[in-house]
Amino acid sequence: MNPSIAEHYREILVGLGENPEREGLRDTPTRAAKAMQYLCCGYAMSLKEVINGALFESQSDEMVIVRDIELYSMCEHHMLPFIGKAHVAYIPTGRVLGLSKIARVVDMFARRLQIQENLTKQIADAIQHSTDAAGVAVVIEAKHMCMMMRGVEKQNSVMTTSVMLGAFRESSATRLEFLQLIGRIG
């Protein structure tokens, strides 16, 4: 745990008018620092480490989809969480990616200070780079605490972002199949 982060949390408590020495807050700066480091652990990860050689030869050239990958990230503007799910698809060209690695790629980028638009693109680009797929599609749906807890306080708003690369961008039929399979089009 980085002690300077804990000291900054202590200063925040003082700035808010709190007494960081009172019983309930004595260990809060350290706990908050540990929590923030965990929530932002994606900075310490690399795509190569996350993939860890889990690319396997395959003759499959049909769409591979992993739906409903839960994600937890932090809004870089307010440092409040956004929570949702990612749907990731790719069309292999001789190699497939280990199933858990797709979720790990989502986590690597989600566990950084983010905006959802960039997160969606980073995931798509990473899957494309790792697999050399014929196409990659990523859709993320998330609720943002910065919009729910403050500001306009809209509790039921969901932000949806998408990135379509290769065959998913070029072929409306491929894109439509993906959207139907993840339940976004009837």
Side-chain angles (χ1 to χ4, degrees), residues 18 24 26 32 56 80 128 146 169 185:
E18 265 293 355
R26 254 182 240 130
F56 307 102
L80 290 171
Q128 177 65 49
C146 58
R169 178 179 282 279
I185 295 181

Side-chain angles (χ1 to χ4, degrees), residues 36-94:
M36 187 57 76
Q37 285 185 288
Y38 177 77
L39 294 173
C40 294
C41 68
Y43 290 116
M45 299 176 188
S46 74
L47 185 58
K48 184 177 180 181
E49 292 169 338
V50 167
I51 300 298
N52 195 27
L55 284 165
F56 307 102
E57 287 187 31
S58 173
Q59 298 307 309
S60 175
D61 61 358
E62 297 295 326
M63 191 181 304
V64 175
I65 301 173
V66 182
R67 289 180 23 179
D68 299 323
I69 303 166
E70 65 270 7
L71 66 86
Y72 309 92
S73 194
M74 298 286 286
C75 162
E76 68 184 36
H77 298 140
H78 303 99
M79 295 182 68
L80 290 171
F82 63 94
I83 299 165
K85 55 189 172 181
H87 312 288
V88 179
Y90 70 101
I91 301 172
T93 57

